[in-house]
Amino acid sequence: MHSDVRPSARPCAFVGENGPVTSVTDAPLPAVTRLIATDLDGTLLRDDKTLSARTVAALAAAEEAGIEVFFVTGRPARWMDVVRDHVQSHGTAICANGAVVTDLRTDGDLLSVRPLERDAALHVVRTLREAAPGTSFAVEMTTGINYEPAYPPFHLDPGATVAVAEKLLHEDAPGTGAPVLKLLAHHTELAPDAFLVLARTAAGDRAAFTRSSPSALLEVSGLGVSKATTLAACCAERGIAPAEVVAFGDMPNDIEMLRWAGASFAMGNAHPDAVAAASGTTATNEEDGVALVIERILAGRTQTP
């Protein structure tokens, strides 16, 4: 897996962190596309968390043409109802930034789990409490999410336990308890990118840090766990090469995946670092940017003898 940052295909102007891109590139597509990997929030989903009719049709047409579609998201598996009705032949989803692979055709069966070890999570908690006073934490496990009293509450998870992170991560004996998928760290005052840099500098040797929220909310996974590494493993199992993958994303947690794929597109509303990592840009999530590229892929197939 390579990690060289690829420049965007054409210069883009941004308004704020995720302002609109001024143009859509005509970036090259793979000679053969076998798999489409797409982020959800800010990418495939519209701002109201729905899929447009055009996007639903494009996903169905891709699978009808024999192209696999993977949803690759920071969301936990239990928050995948937004796309569950739109899976076709397989319904594979990579969730929690690569920590989980699930089959959406089932009742949430987890096909694989790449956990964050609790001692590493505790190290991150202690380190960030010292490096960024005022940080609050949530712990995402295979059984659900729990969080500290100061952490912004999850209205979608009303049954969460509220306690300090050290207690939430405590084990009666090493190896007991549900696997930890990721640690969430929130700060009310720091700038989002500055918080990410600070955390990586302070504890990047023990865990993987990224973010996908417009607020200063970091997502902490096991060292080496990312959308890209889990997608690479899934593709290897299927005999699919990186050059046969087209990926879509909009935020820092998509960067590694955008770099890894043979062709990748940052959304018109993407973070500048995501644009820099992708081989091209497309329209915004509100303008069906993913569908636009899928339609190009399928049109190219019909034109090829």
Side-chain angles (χ1 to χ4, degrees):
M1 185 183 310
H2 65 83
S3 61
D4 295 326
V5 176
R6 294 182 296 195
S8 55
R10 290 168 63 180
C12 299
F14 292 87
V15 178
E17 178 180 278
N18 295 81
V21 174
T22 57
S23 61
V24 178
T25 66
D26 191 24
L29 294 169
V32 176
T33 299
R34 295 182 59 194
L35 187 141
I36 291 168
T38 178
D39 173 51
L40 294 184
D41 296 282
T43 300
L44 192 72
L45 300 177
R46 295 182 294 193
D47 291 344
D48 64 1
K49 307 306 179 186
T50 63
L51 292 177
S52 71
R54 181 180 182 182
T55 295
V56 171
L59 294 175
E63 295 212 50
E64 180 67 22
I67 301 172
E68 291 198 68
V69 177
F70 275 28
F71 301 119
V72 189
T73 178
R75 285 177 174 241
R78 66 183 181 280
W79 286 8
M80 294 300 289
D81 287 346
V82 290
V83 291
R84 198 179 302 274
D85 292 338
H86 305 294
V87 300
Q88 305 295 321
S89 60
H90 54 86
T92 301
I94 295 172
C95 300
N97 290 330
V100 162
V101 179
T102 185
D103 186 341
L104 297 181
R105 298 169 301 178
T106 68
D107 293 328
D109 291 348
L110 304 184
L111 304 179
S112 69
V113 176
R114 302 177 66 192
L116 170 64
E117 297 301 329
R118 293 190 181 221
D119 60 345
L122 284 167
H123 174 82
V124 170
V125 169
R126 291 192 296 266
T127 301
L128 290 188
R129 287 203 197 283
E130 180 178 348
T135 301
S136 59
F137 298 92
V139 182
E140 176 73 47
M141 302 180 185
T142 54
T143 52
I145 194 164
N146 303 305
Y147 47 86
E148 295 190 315
Y151 191 87
F154 274 87
H155 300 295
L156 293 177
D157 295 286
T161 298
V162 179
V164 296
E166 289 83 353
K167 183 175 181 179
L168 296 174
L169 290 166
H170 176 73
E171 294 177 294
D172 293 330
T176 63
V180 176
L181 301 180
K182 63 179 178 178
L183 182 71
L184 300 169
H186 181 265
H187 204 283
T188 58
E189 298 178 5
L190 291 174
D193 285 332
F195 191 24
L196 179 58
V197 171
L198 182 153
R200 285 175 171 170
T201 301
D205 61 332
R206 295 295 300 275
F209 292 83
T210 190
R211 74 178 192 86
S212 60
S213 170
S215 65
L217 175 61
L218 304 186
E219 301 166 61
V220 189
S221 303
L223 202 61
V225 176
S226 70
K227 291 183 176 185
T229 55
T230 300
L231 176 61
C234 290
C235 287
E237 291 173 357
R238 292 159 173 78
I240 297 174
E244 299 171 313
V245 177
V246 178
F248 300 89
D250 72 308
M251 287 296 282
N253 66 329
D254 297 312
I255 288 173
E256 292 91 345
M257 179 175 72
L258 294 173
R259 291 173 179 162
W260 178 83
S264 58
F265 293 84
M267 307 305 293
N269 48 286
H271 186 285
D273 291 348
V275 175
S279 59
T281 57
T282 186
T284 70
N285 63 316
E286 285 288 292
E287 299 168 325
D288 298 316
V290 174
L292 187 154
V293 176
I294 293 176
E295 290 163 2
R296 275 187 57 204
I297 294 170
L298 298 178
R301 286 191 166 203
T302 61
Q303 294 168 8
T304 302

